[in-house]
Amino acid sequence: MANFGFDDFRLVDPYDAAFREAVSAVGGAHVLQNARVFCTLAEAVADCSLVLGTTAGQHRVPQQTVERLEVGMIAARSHPGRVGLLFGSEKFGLSNEDMSFCHGLVRIATSADTPSMNLGQAVAVCLYELVRAGTDLGAGTSADPFSPVSGSDSEQITRMLLEVLEKSGYLNRIIAISTEQKVRRWIRRLRIGRRDGPLLLGILRQVLWKFNNPE
Amino acid sequence: MANFGFDDFRLVDPYDAAFREAVSAVGGAHVLQNARVFCTLAEAVADCSLVLGTTAGQHRVPQQTVERLEVGMIAARSHPGRVGLLFGSEKFGLSNEDMSFCHGLVRIATSADTPSMNLGQAVAVCLYELVRAGTDLGAGTSADPFSPVSGSDSEQITRMLLEVLEKSGYLNRIIAISTEQKVRRWIRRLRIGRRDGPLLLGILRQVLWKFNNPE
């Protein structure tokens, strides 16, 4: 919960009264400490205008439609009021009674053979989906777009590599006539970044120097 | 892993030799039983032509671009070869050495105050994203015919290039301690194709031969 910025943790009739002392992940202690305990689900979701229950979707015929998590979370994000996300016990999931408090049911698209998830992992996946970047992926990313080496640097690399090939005796081994074009195409096919250009040129220069100055 | 249909679990030098007897979730026992243990990361990713490392993205300035998980998984889904998803220890994450084996780094968009996730939850979120319904977005795109070099060929190129750098005297010019990782990262950053691997190895081999056989 803390990883994805949520802190309103509510428990209904928990079995373990000592849950507050449970060892929590780094940064999650405040979530446990501020957890609120309710005797009934009705009280726990009293201030929520949308309650979404989670289910593995097996072993029972739900009286409600089960949506994929992605679809349910779109509804949750656009909901104008408080949204409750409801998880059952790891062993039994939500009862039919519990589900009757839900406006909708969602399920994580797990493999058909292994639908039942670890509770903590299911919560992580649901909250991740809830805050996940939707269609506007580009907006929040800080990834630098790939910035390729200039055409003139590419050509300088090509020329210098050809010189290395010639001086090392490599050129004789391949059909000479097409080598220059082959090397040129190859240098362009590699995604050589702007910062890589000087590095590659420096290496080639040093190799040539060594050819000319053997010990 | 079992929840999302993955079963190729690999461990590098695990601390706990008894991990196979760990209590696994319902349906996950076969993943643990079939786990393979490797002494080094290089061996573990030898057959992977794309390795994506995971990071909380804090406490170090990575020399590699860190993409959002959503973006990295688009690349993973469309990759034509075997993809490795690399997780560090829960406590320390991946080392700089580990990261130098990665073609890219991804991070889950966690809250800035609490970036560090429980390992199992991080794995669940990453695999969920990998098989998430978003695949319909990429379904229509024409497949990139680029077929990348294998992890073991990448490593052989790295080793041979390091030898060239050393023999040519280039290594003295740059800070020696970080060079190996730098070169390894660089080789992964270049998009070296499957056909390019033997070509590049041939060139490096010839350069080394020339160093040893000056006129």
Side-chain angles (χ1 to χ4, degrees), chain B residues 26 61 70 88 159-160 167 198-199:
Chain B
V26 178
V61 181
E70 299 90 315
R159 296 262 142 230
M160 216 174 267
K167 293 226 165 124
L199 178 65

Side-chain angles (χ1 to χ4, degrees), chain B residues 40-46 48-53 64 84 86 94-105 151-152 154-156 158-159 180-189:
Chain B
T40 65
L41 179 54
E43 291 167 272
V45 300
C48 299
S49 47
L50 178 64
V51 178
L52 294 176
Q64 287 153 291
L86 183 62
L94 296 173
S95 66
N96 285 347
E97 165 85 5
D98 296 334
M99 289 191 198
S100 72
F101 282 89
C102 298
H103 300 82
L105 296 176
S152 55
S154 277
E155 190 55 16
Q156 210 188 331
T158 304
R159 296 262 142 230
E180 187 172 323
Q181 291 175 18
K182 229 186 235 172
V183 169
R184 184 176 290 117
R185 275 196 301 270
W186 184 55
I187 290 297
R188 267 90 181 155
R189 202 163 67 227

Side-chain angles (χ1 to χ4, degrees), chain B residues 22-206:
Chain B
V23 178
S24 75
V26 178
H30 69 282
V31 174
L32 274 182
Q33 272 150 23
N34 298 327
R36 281 183 285 166
V37 173
F38 295 86
C39 298
T40 65
L41 179 54
E43 291 167 272
V45 300
D47 62 348
C48 299
S49 47
L50 178 64
V51 178
L52 294 176
T54 52
T55 170
Q58 309 285 113
H59 309 305
R60 65 165 71 80
V61 181
Q63 293 86 345
Q64 287 153 291
T65 312
V66 180
E67 307 253 35
R68 277 181 75 121
L69 177 66
E70 299 90 315
V71 176
M73 292 302 106
I74 292 169
R77 275 195 294 265
S78 60
H79 185 76
R82 187 178 295 272
V83 178
L85 207 50
L86 183 62
F87 294 86
S89 74
E90 180 145 0
K91 208 158 181 181
F92 304 110
L94 296 173
S95 66
N96 285 347
E97 165 85 5
D98 296 334
M99 289 191 198
S100 72
F101 282 89
C102 298
H103 300 82
L105 296 176
V106 296
R107 69 175 205 88
I108 297 170
T110 44
S111 122
D113 301 335
T114 315
S116 182
M117 284 187 73
N118 166 283
L119 179 56
Q121 293 178 8
V123 173
V125 166
C126 288
L127 298 183
Y128 165 78
E129 179 64 42
L130 189 52
V131 300
R132 188 180 176 278
T135 44
D136 55 346
L137 293 172
T141 60
S142 58
D144 182 358
F146 178 71
S147 173
V149 77
S150 72
S152 55
D153 279 359
S154 277
E155 190 55 16
Q156 210 188 331
I157 292 167
T158 304
R159 296 262 142 230
M160 216 174 267
L161 179 56
L162 282 166
E163 200 179 333
V164 165
L165 293 180
E166 197 194 317
K167 293 226 165 124
S168 70
Y170 185 91
L171 267 194
N172 301 328
R173 284 203 264 148
I174 43 181
I175 305 149
I177 196 157
S178 62
T179 301
E180 187 172 323
Q181 291 175 18
K182 229 186 235 172
V183 169
R184 184 176 290 117
R185 275 196 301 270
W186 184 55
I187 290 297
R188 267 90 181 155
R189 202 163 67 227
L190 293 174
R191 276 163 53 102
I192 300 175
R194 189 160 299 172
R195 287 175 311 151
D196 301 330
L199 178 65
L200 197 45
L201 284 170
I203 291 171
L204 292 170
R205 205 172 283 124
Q206 183 72 26

